[in-house]
């Protein structure tokens, strides 16, 4: 709503206000009068100032910016905003922590959300990623349980290390992400000094309707910088909004952070031959086999004017896709296609897409109508049903049909619906071990100490189960954590821990 800041002060209904510093009372010492409607309006409005915070990623900070294409990737995708070198698209990027509530400190060890909205000429593309290329689970049936373990204990109402490690020890597919979380990158120094990843595998579709599997990477141009546990504890003591402050101030003084947007691509044959499931969210695609291809530059260059309107009400959903970018069989992605938009309808309301921050900047025409807070102005008396025989009404166009997606079949060529065991025949240890092996010595020690510090707070049974997972990833990884926890592992048990035999 446009507002003339020099205009008269009014009620929400527009009535000019004569005195807004004194309530209306019956005599100078008397009680308030219910006829003081401007006071009532203010108090009632104030009671409703908050909307439910996000159940995850509640603490966030965001900025507007620009994406510029630097490389021609039209052989992979027909996405309009990627079709010409030099083409610019407005973006909005929201960073967040995952577990903490809205008032949580920024500098806590956690995964960071990296949710990016591209306002393209063919609709909004939301790249709802994290600062890690993988996730803790591969089956969405575990998601709510996982988040419960990251939040508060039902009795103590405190974060609880036993809950966290109990769950992780029962779900070794988490080990890769746990390794990243407790490595240096679990504590980014600033939001400008970390990478973003789409994490899931998506599809690119080109103008010949050919599909390529794709992963998205945003590499910081500011360089990776991290904090130690001691530095973060000290910072939290001084400033709970350290990351928000850093980003806001950098942009305010014209020091605009940038990221290099890159992709990895995989064709169908490579997907079949890949030694891991290419749609498993707990795995990366090794760079040596699938090198990064540069696409463009993302720059953040404008702070929001109003935090609530722009950041709190910003709604990102992996289901916001544009022609040329489609889904994949990744189970976690499939579930997120439903759950994000559903969360926004609960948290903000049915018509959250009509808010200025969420509204696409391209022409819009559909048959959605009504619901709470609907702005009917765009549609007026236009038909609210389809198909119809009325001239000038919006019509579908076969040019924009999704590309048919192949699904894996059994030997008889059938697709069988079943509850496939998401733990069976999965290698949960190699990639976590690969990451451990590429860490420099000092990072290995910091990672082992960070894990030992919190794993020690879990029950002994949980400690032992989890230690076995670290040993399976790499004996040195397990040994360093055990040592930091003052746990002596006898040789025969060590053998059992590594091989499971
Ligand atoms: P490479 O040696 O080609 O790449 C290693 C990658 O690890 C780089 O992207 C580097 O990021 C990143 N990295 C370094 N330290 C950390 C850390 N503490 N936490 C998270 N990422 C880190 O190896 P591969 O591609 O063969 O992958 C080996 C391992 O590297 C994987 O198992 C995975 O854990 C990790 N990794 C791989 C990624 C991928 O897409 N292949 C992406 C991110 C991590 P940078 O270049 O920014 O320094």
């Amino acid at each position: 709503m446009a507002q003339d800041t020099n205009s008269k002060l009014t009620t929400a209904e527009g009535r000019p206000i004569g005195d807004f510093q004194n309530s209306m009372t019956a005599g100078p010492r008397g009680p308030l009068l219910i006829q003081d409607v401007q006071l009532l309006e203010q108090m009632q409005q104030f009671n409703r100032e908050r909307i439910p915070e996000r159940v995850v990623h509640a603490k966030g900070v965001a900025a507007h910016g620009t994406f510029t294409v630097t490389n021609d990737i039209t052989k992979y995708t027909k996405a309009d905003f990627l079709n010409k070198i030099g083409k610019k698209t407005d973006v909005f990027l929201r960073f967040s922590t995952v577990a903490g509530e809205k008032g949580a400190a920024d500098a806590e060890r956690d995964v960071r959300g990296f949710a990016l909205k591209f306002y393209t000429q063919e609709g909004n593309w939301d790249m709802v990623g994290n600062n890690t290329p993988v996730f803790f689970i591969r089956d969405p049936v575990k998601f709510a349980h996982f988040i419960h373990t990251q939040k508060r204990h039902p009795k103590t109402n405190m974060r609880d290390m036993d809950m966290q490690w109990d769950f992780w020890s029962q779900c070794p597919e988490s080990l890769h992400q746990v390794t990243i979380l407790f490595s240096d990158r679990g504590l980014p120094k600033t939001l400008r000094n970390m990478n973003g990843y789409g994490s899931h595998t998506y599809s690119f579709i080109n103008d010949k309707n050919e599909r390529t599997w794709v992963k998205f990477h945003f590499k910081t141009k500011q360089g990776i910088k991290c904090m130690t546990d001691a530095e973060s504890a000290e910072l939290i003591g001084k400033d709970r909004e350290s990351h928000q402050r850093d980003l806001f101030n950098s942009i305010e003084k014209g020091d605009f952070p940038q990221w290099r947007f890159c992709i990895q691509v995989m064709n169908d044959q490579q997907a079949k031959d890949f030694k891991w499931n290419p749609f498993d969210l707990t795995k990366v695609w090794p760079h040596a086999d699938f090198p990064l291809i540069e696409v463009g530059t993302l720059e953040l260059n404008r702070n929001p004017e109003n935090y609530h309107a722009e950041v709190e009400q910003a709604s990102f959903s992996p289901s916001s896709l544009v022609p040329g970018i489609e889904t994949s069989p990744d189970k976690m992605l499939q579930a997120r296609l439903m759950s994000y938009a559903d969360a926004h309808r609960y948290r903000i309301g049915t018509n959250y897409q009509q808010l200025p921050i969420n509204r696409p900047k391209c022409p819009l025409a559909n048959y959605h109508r009504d619901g709470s807070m609907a702005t009917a102005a765009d549609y007026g008396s236009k038909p609210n049903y389809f198909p119809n025989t009325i001239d000038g009404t919006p019509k579908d166009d076969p040019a924009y049909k999704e590309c048919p997606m192949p699904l894996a079949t059994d030997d008889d060529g059938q697709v069988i619906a079943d509850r496939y065991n998401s733990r069976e025949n999965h290698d949960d240890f190699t990639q976590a071990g690969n990451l451990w092996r590429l860490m420099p010595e000092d990072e290995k020690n910091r990672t082992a100490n960070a894990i030992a510090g919190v794993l020690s707070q879990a029950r002994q049974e949980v400690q032992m189960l989890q230690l076995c997972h670290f040993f399976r990833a790499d004996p040195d990884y397990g040994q360093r954590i055990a040592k930091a926890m003052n746990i002596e592992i006898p040789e025969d048990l060590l053998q059992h821990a590594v091989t499971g035999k």
Side-chain angles (χ1 to χ4, degrees):
M1 182 171 46
Q3 255 184 354
D4 177 355
T5 48
N6 295 319
S7 67
K8 281 184 197 135
L9 180 65
T10 70
T11 64
E13 305 288 353
R15 178 192 181 281
I17 293 178
D19 177 355
F20 211 30
Q21 302 198 50
N22 299 293
S23 306
M24 193 185 290
T25 53
R29 297 189 178 185
L32 290 171
L33 295 178
I34 204 126
Q35 70 194 48
D36 186 355
V37 290
Q38 67 196 40
L39 173 69
L40 300 187
E41 178 186 270
Q42 173 166 271
M43 293 176 75
Q44 290 162 350
Q45 182 72 23
F46 177 70
N47 284 348
R48 290 162 177 78
E49 277 186 3
R50 297 287 174 274
I51 56 176
E53 70 174 37
R54 293 164 170 89
V55 64
V56 281
H57 295 274
K59 178 75 187 289
V61 49
H64 298 270
T66 316
F67 172 73
T68 311
V69 179
T70 55
N71 189 23
D72 182 0
I73 56 156
T74 51
K75 67 176 173 180
Y76 300 119
T77 180
K78 61 184 173 190
D80 172 80
F81 77 107
L82 296 173
N83 69 5
K84 208 164 126 213
I85 292 178
K87 192 163 190 170
K88 289 185 188 299
T89 301
D90 289 347
V91 298
F92 186 66
L93 172 55
R94 180 178 184 269
F95 301 97
S96 52
T97 46
V98 179
E101 291 95 358
K102 245 192 104 192
D106 286 346
E108 287 180 354
R109 186 179 290 282
D110 201 351
V111 171
R112 263 70 186 172
F114 192 100
L116 186 53
K117 194 181 284 296
F118 292 77
Y119 300 92
T120 91
Q121 283 312 296
E122 289 189 331
N124 287 350
W125 177 44
D126 289 353
M127 207 290 317
V128 196
N130 280 329
N131 71 334
T132 64
V134 294
F135 197 62
F136 297 92
I137 49 173
R138 61 170 70 92
D139 189 322
V141 76
K142 295 186 176 180
F143 183 76
H145 301 278
F146 164 61
I147 293 301
H148 287 169
T149 71
Q150 300 296 299
K151 296 277 187 180
R152 294 170 187 271
H153 187 277
K155 180 169 181 182
T156 64
N157 196 36
M158 290 189 269
R159 300 282 291 278
D160 189 287
M161 289 306 139
D162 191 67
M163 289 202 306
Q164 294 192 18
W165 288 103
D166 193 14
F167 179 85
W168 283 335
S169 74
Q170 295 304 302
C171 302
E173 67 268 35
S174 60
L175 192 67
H176 193 185
Q177 177 80 318
V178 165
T179 305
I180 297 176
L181 178 62
F182 288 94
S183 77
D184 287 357
R185 295 197 192 190
L187 277 175
K189 190 173 174 68
T190 78
L191 299 166
R192 298 175 298 119
N193 294 109
M194 63 180 207
N195 295 334
Y197 301 90
S199 308
H200 299 289
T201 298
Y202 290 83
S203 307
F204 264 169
I205 311 296
N206 67 13
D207 56 5
K208 298 190 191 78
N209 223 21
E210 294 162 335
R211 181 187 303 276
T212 308
W213 305 113
V214 62
K215 280 199 187 276
F216 304 120
H217 300 249
F218 292 82
K219 308 281 275 184
T220 173
K221 285 196 173 183
Q222 291 67 240
I224 297 280
K225 287 189 190 154
C226 307
M227 284 182 283
T228 62
D229 279 319
E231 285 166 340
S232 98
E234 197 193 334
L235 183 57
I236 290 171
K238 289 188 196 143
D239 184 2
R240 296 179 67 77
E241 330 303 337
S242 51
H243 284 173
Q244 182 158 348
R245 197 179 312 284
D246 171 82
L247 184 71
F248 185 88
N249 289 345
S250 301
I251 294 174
E252 217 54 11
K253 67 174 190 241
D255 180 6
F256 300 144
Q258 292 190 338
W259 285 260
R260 226 158 46 87
F261 177 30
C262 302
I263 53 170
Q264 286 178 293
V265 295
M266 189 187 266
N267 64 33
D268 247 343
Q269 194 54 49
Q270 288 171 313
K272 285 187 188 115
D273 296 343
F274 190 50
K275 62 179 154 181
W276 294 293
N277 174 1
F279 312 116
D280 175 353
L281 186 56
T282 69
K283 301 284 190 304
V284 295
W285 298 355
H287 291 124
D289 304 327
F290 303 96
L292 294 181
I293 301 166
E294 181 164 321
V295 180
T297 302
L298 166 72
E299 179 184 270
L300 297 182
N301 47 31
R302 182 163 61 88
N303 281 316
E305 282 299 313
N306 183 290
Y307 184 88
H308 184 84
E310 291 158 78
V311 188
E312 193 59 6
Q313 297 195 122
S315 304
F316 302 86
S317 171
S319 54
S320 299
L321 295 160
V322 292
I325 306 178
E326 295 188 9
T327 62
S328 83
D330 178 341
K331 298 186 206 0
M332 291 291 292
L333 172 60
Q334 293 278 331
R336 291 177 81 208
L337 295 174
M338 182 285 296
S339 71
Y340 278 62
D342 185 54
H344 305 322
R345 290 189 169 95
Y346 158 69
R347 198 174 71 84
I348 301 173
T350 314
N351 288 303
Y352 71 95
Q353 287 144 318
Q354 295 182 5
L355 294 174
I357 192 66
N358 299 324
R359 197 182 157 91
K361 296 187 182 182
C362 62
L364 280 178
N366 56 55
Y367 294 92
H368 301 317
R369 292 294 186 274
D370 306 346
S372 60
M373 305 285 177
T375 56
D378 286 356
Y379 298 111
S381 60
K382 287 179 190 158
N384 58 1
Y385 62 92
F386 181 80
N388 60 54
T389 55
I390 301 162
D391 283 346
T393 56
K395 304 253 181 310
D396 46 3
D397 178 345
Y400 292 103
K401 265 179 73 172
E402 294 86 355
C403 182
M405 187 190 288
L407 294 176
T409 58
D410 69 5
D411 294 343
D412 298 331
Q414 298 197 68
V415 178
I416 311 287
D418 200 353
R419 295 187 186 275
Y420 292 96
N421 186 337
S422 74
R423 289 281 356 276
E424 226 164 58
N425 301 324
H426 278 287
D427 167 6
D428 294 325
F429 305 108
T430 304
Q431 289 202 351
N434 288 347
L435 178 58
W436 173 261
R437 288 180 284 275
L438 67 77
M439 286 183 202
E441 271 299 295
D442 54 342
E443 186 173 3
K444 281 183 176 158
N445 288 331
R446 282 191 295 273
T447 303
N449 288 333
I451 290 171
V454 280
L455 183 55
S456 315
Q457 298 170 41
R459 276 169 295 142
Q460 201 186 19
E461 178 193 356
V462 171
Q463 292 179 13
M464 291 306 152
L465 283 167
Q466 184 65 36
L467 268 177
C468 289
H469 299 324
F470 294 121
F471 274 105
R472 282 169 199 146
D474 191 295
D476 174 51
Y477 190 8
Q479 200 62 271
R480 281 196 212 211
I481 297 169
K483 206 166 154 217
M485 293 170 74
N486 290 319
I487 294 175
E488 193 82 40
I489 310 278
E491 204 43 50
D492 53 333
L493 263 187
L494 183 62
Q495 187 62 19
H496 168 74
V498 174
T499 61
K501 290 178 194 137

